[in-house]
């Protein structure tokens, strides 16, 4: 039996269809590339969640394809901040309620402004973390974007 996560319960509450997918965790490799391999999916369908601390004070979330890198300047511009930096991993759980390798853009402790790289619209479905290591949510991009009221932009290279 697959146990529901907070992210899954959040989607259930909004009556949004998704599939909860379990996979074998390798604690030495928490990368999106590894998740794609063990789930038998193309890396373009695996989206990683990156939390940034921005100036002036605040946090934003970016979700990008697993094989791409976040463009911090583009994210800052898009979010209206002067500067964005990656959140120190020691702060991740305190800020989001999630740990590295299990950080979902869905149902964080607080709803932060979230940006998906616009390439997501080229996919018929994507995977994002379900909020724990070893579980992914497979979902239609538009449903995901609407569920968390995310914005789109060119934030990856």
């Amino acid at each position: 039996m697959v146990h529901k996560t907070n992210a899954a319960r959040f989607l259930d509450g909004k009556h949004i269809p998704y599939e909860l997918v379990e996979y074998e965790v390798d604690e030495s490799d928490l990368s999106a590339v590894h998740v794609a391999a063990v789930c038998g999916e193309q890396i373009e369908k695996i989206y990683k969640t990156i939390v940034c601390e921005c100036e002036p004070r605040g946090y934003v979330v970016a979700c990008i394809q697993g094989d791409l890198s976040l463009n911090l300047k583009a994210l800052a511009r898009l979010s209206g901040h002067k500067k964005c930096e990656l959140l120190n991993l020691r702060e991740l759980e305190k800020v989001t309620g999630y740990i590295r390798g299990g950080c979902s853009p869905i149902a964080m402790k607080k709803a932060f402004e979230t940006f998906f790289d616009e390439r997501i619209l080229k996919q018929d479905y994507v995977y994002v973390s379900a909020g724990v290591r070893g579980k992914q949510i497979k979902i239609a991009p538009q449903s995901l974007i609407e569920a968390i009221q995310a914005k789109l932009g060119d934030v990856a290279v």
Side-chain angles (χ1 to χ4, degrees):
M1 181 173 141
V2 177
H3 288 86
K4 297 277 180 132
T5 63
N6 285 342
R9 285 189 288 277
F10 177 88
L11 294 173
D12 288 345
K14 293 188 172 281
H15 307 288
I16 295 173
Y18 66 92
E19 182 182 338
L20 200 54
V21 177
E22 291 190 9
Y23 66 94
E24 190 69 35
V25 177
D26 179 352
E27 296 290 337
S28 67
D29 186 358
L30 299 173
S31 72
V33 173
H34 174 74
V35 172
V38 297
C39 289
E41 286 290 349
Q42 300 167 338
I43 189 62
E44 294 84 7
K45 295 203 179 289
I46 308 296
Y47 271 66
K48 56 188 175 184
T49 304
I50 303 169
V51 182
C52 295
E53 190 167 6
C54 300
E55 293 177 14
R57 188 91 178 124
Y59 299 99
V60 296
V61 177
C63 292
I64 62 172
Q65 247 176 237
D67 60 339
L68 299 178
S69 297
L70 181 60
N71 181 334
L72 291 167
K73 287 183 181 180
L75 180 63
R77 245 187 335 272
L78 192 62
S79 65
H81 289 92
K82 195 187 307 185
K83 180 181 180 183
C84 289
E85 296 179 345
L86 299 178
L87 181 67
N88 185 313
L89 287 177
R90 290 189 302 262
E91 299 291 314
L92 184 65
E93 188 172 9
K94 183 175 86 175
V95 170
T96 67
Y98 292 127
I99 61 171
R100 180 176 173 262
C103 187
S104 179
I106 306 165
M108 288 187 179
K109 278 173 42 173
K110 182 179 175 197
F112 297 110
E113 191 172 29
T114 301
F115 297 88
F116 280 90
D117 184 72
E118 58 197 8
R119 291 171 184 88
I120 195 170
L121 295 178
K122 294 178 182 175
Q123 305 300 326
D124 51 342
Y125 63 88
V126 294
Y127 289 78
V128 294
S129 175
V132 294
R133 292 177 183 165
K135 290 185 183 176
Q136 293 280 307
I137 288 176
K138 181 180 178 181
I139 188 170
Q142 200 58 48
S143 296
L144 176 59
I145 291 163
E146 289 171 12
I148 60 174
Q149 299 176 351
K151 297 175 182 149
L152 294 170
D154 184 11
V155 295
V157 291

